[in-house]
Amino acid sequence: MLLERDLIQSVGFRNVREGDRVTGFQFRLRMPSYRGMAASLIDGVAVLVGDLVDVPADVPLWTLGGQTLTLDGLWQSEGLRWQLEDAAVVTVPFEGGLPQGVHEVSIELRLRMSYVPEEHQPSVYRVSKHVTLTPEGGAGTFQYGVSLYSFMGDFGTVLDLETALAAVADVGATGVEILGEGHVANYPEPSTAWRDEWFRLLEKYSLQPTNYGSWIDTRLHSSGPHARPMTAEEGAATLQRDLRLAKDLGFRFVRPKIGVVSGDLVPDPIWTESVERSLDLAHELDVIICPEIHSPTPIHHPVVDDYIDLIRRTGTKHFGLLIDTGIFQDRPIPLGPGETRETRPAFLDGIGVDPADFADVAEYVVFVQAKFHDIDENLDDKQIPWRPVLQALKNAGYTGYLSSEYEGVREPWRSIEQVRRQHSLIRSITDTLD
C-alpha cells in the first residue's frame, strides 16, 4: 500500500470501540523524516481537534508493527521501528468519540534525532488537516459503493489498486465499481496473477464487485482513407467480450458507454442490434447491461424512451438503466483555468432534472452512480441537491447501490477526502429521510 502525502492520513480516521462503548478515535500518521527510525526515538504527539479535544503528547497510544503501546512503552521498546513505508496508528482516548463529519485535526509530533545537537531536540512537526471521520449510519435504505473512477489522476501515480480499495473500504462501502480499460492490467486479457490478486484484495477488504464500465467505440475506424462505421456485429462482439470479462471478475452490472451521434448523447443507431445480439449471453452470465443516463440527457428524453422500449419489447431482465446523479445538478461547476461560459459545454452549469422524475423510470433502474464535484468542509455539496435526490430515490423504492463518482478537481489525494465527505453527507441525510 501507498501512503498519502500529508502526514495526517485521511484513510484510517475513525472512532474506536470497546464492546458497546466508543472510547476514543484514531488516525494514521506518515513518518515525516526521510528514514525510518526506532520507536524509542518518538517523543509523543499532542493532538488538538477543534474545540473538542486537546491532549498533551504523552496521552495518545501508538500502534506500530502490530503492537499498541503507551509513550513510555515506546521508550522501553527494543527493535520496534516506525518504518518509512508504514503508517503509525495514533489512538486518542475520548469517551463517546467524535461526531461524524469534517474535523480540523492538528498535531505536534516530536521525534528525537541523535545526529542533531541535543539543545535543538526534539524535532517538532506541527501540521493541521481537515479530515472526515469514517461515516456511519444510512444502513438499511441504500447500499454504498465507490467507483475507482473517483481516483483517476491518482490511480497509477499516487494510488495503486490496493491503496484505492483500502480507501473504498475505509468509508464503510461494500461495493466497488471499475472501468475495464482504466483499472484492469493488460486489458482485455489480464494475467492469472492479476486476477488472483484482484480476488485476494476483494476478500481482504470485504468488497463486492458492482458495476463494470465498458465502451463501444463506434468511431474506432473513423479516420484515414479506410474510414468506415462500426457494424452492429462488431459492436456486439465488443460488448460480449466485456460481458465475459466482467463476469469473470465477479461483476453483476456492465455499463456500456456507447458512441454518440448528437450533443444530447443520442447513441449510435447500432446500439439496439448490438445489445439485442448480446441479451442471450447476458442472460447466460446473469449480468445486467445498463447504459448510463448522463447529463445533458434528462430522464424524459427519447434516448431513455428507446431503452425502456427495448426492455418492454424483449421482456428481458438483463437490460436496465443506470442513473448518473449529475443530471440533478442545479448549480454550475466553477470555471476552470482559461474557461468561459461560452467555451465549455452548457450542461456543466447543470441541467437541473427534477428528482421527482426518478419515479417515472424507477422500475427500470438497476444502478445509481452518485456523481459529485465538490463538497466543502461544512459538508455542503456545491452542485448536487442531495436531500431531494435521496428522498426521491427512497420514495420510489430504490434500494440498490449509490456508487460514489467524484469528478472534481484532480489534485493528488483530494479525491480520497472528497469521497469520505460524500459518504458522510449522504448517510447523514439518509438517516433523516421521511
Side-chain angles (χ1 to χ4, degrees), residues 359-380:
D360 298 332
V361 296
E363 65 181 296
Y364 306 108
V365 175
V366 297
F367 199 81
V368 172
Q369 285 178 333
K371 168 74 63 61
F372 73 109
H373 299 86
D374 185 63
I375 297 174
D376 68 14
E377 294 161 5
N378 299 311
L379 293 185
D380 179 24

Side-chain angles (χ1 to χ4, degrees), residues 138-331:
T141 301
F142 308 113
Q143 300 176 72
Y144 297 96
V146 177
S147 171
L148 294 194
Y149 173 76
S150 299
F151 304 139
M152 296 311 294
D154 287 341
F155 194 85
T157 56
V158 298
L159 291 181
D160 57 14
L161 181 60
E162 179 164 8
T163 309
L165 294 182
V168 171
D170 199 61
V171 297
T174 60
V176 60
E177 178 183 359
I178 71 168
L179 309 178
E181 296 182 54
H183 301 109
V184 177
N186 199 41
Y187 169 91
E189 298 178 353
S191 68
T192 299
W194 188 91
R195 293 170 194 251
D196 290 345
E197 178 68 357
W198 165 250
F199 285 109
R200 184 189 73 81
L201 293 174
L202 291 178
E203 181 176 4
K204 178 178 180 179
Y205 294 105
S206 300
L207 293 171
Q208 294 292 323
T210 57
N211 182 49
Y212 172 103
S214 171
W215 280 262
I216 300 178
D217 282 321
T218 53
R219 301 191 194 113
L220 192 62
H221 301 291
S222 60
S223 299
H226 305 291
R228 63 175 180 80
M230 176 177 277
T231 67
E233 182 178 10
E234 290 172 326
T238 298
L239 177 57
Q240 290 170 26
R241 178 192 64 195
D242 277 354
L243 288 173
R244 292 187 176 94
L245 180 53
K247 178 66 175 182
D248 190 42
L249 297 179
F251 289 90
R252 179 78 195 287
F253 303 102
V254 170
R255 180 234 62 192
K257 182 76 83 171
I258 305 164
V260 299
V261 297
S262 69
D264 54 350
L265 307 188
V266 173
D268 189 292
I270 71 166
W271 82 263
T272 308
E273 185 178 346
S274 296
V275 168
E276 291 197 41
R277 283 171 173 257
S278 304
L279 288 179
D280 286 345
L281 179 61
H283 176 77
E284 175 187 331
L285 300 175
D286 195 21
V287 172
I288 299 175
I289 303 166
C290 47
E292 182 177 16
I293 311 307
H294 186 290
S295 185
T297 306
I299 285 175
H300 293 146
H301 190 277
V303 168
V304 182
D305 294 341
D306 286 347
Y307 290 153
I308 293 174
D309 178 67
L310 183 145
I311 297 170
R312 290 173 172 170
R313 177 167 48 80
T314 64
T316 183
K317 301 295 184 183
H318 291 87
F319 185 86
L321 303 181
L322 184 157
I323 297 294
D324 180 297
T325 58
I327 64 174
F328 303 117
Q329 178 191 332
D330 59 2
R331 285 151 290 168

Side-chain angles (χ1 to χ4, degrees), residues 33-54:
S33 180
Y34 61 89
R35 64 175 187 132
M37 61 178 57
S40 60
L41 291 172
I42 297 171
D43 248 11
V45 60
V47 180
L48 178 70
V49 182
D51 57 2
L52 297 174
V53 177
D54 187 357

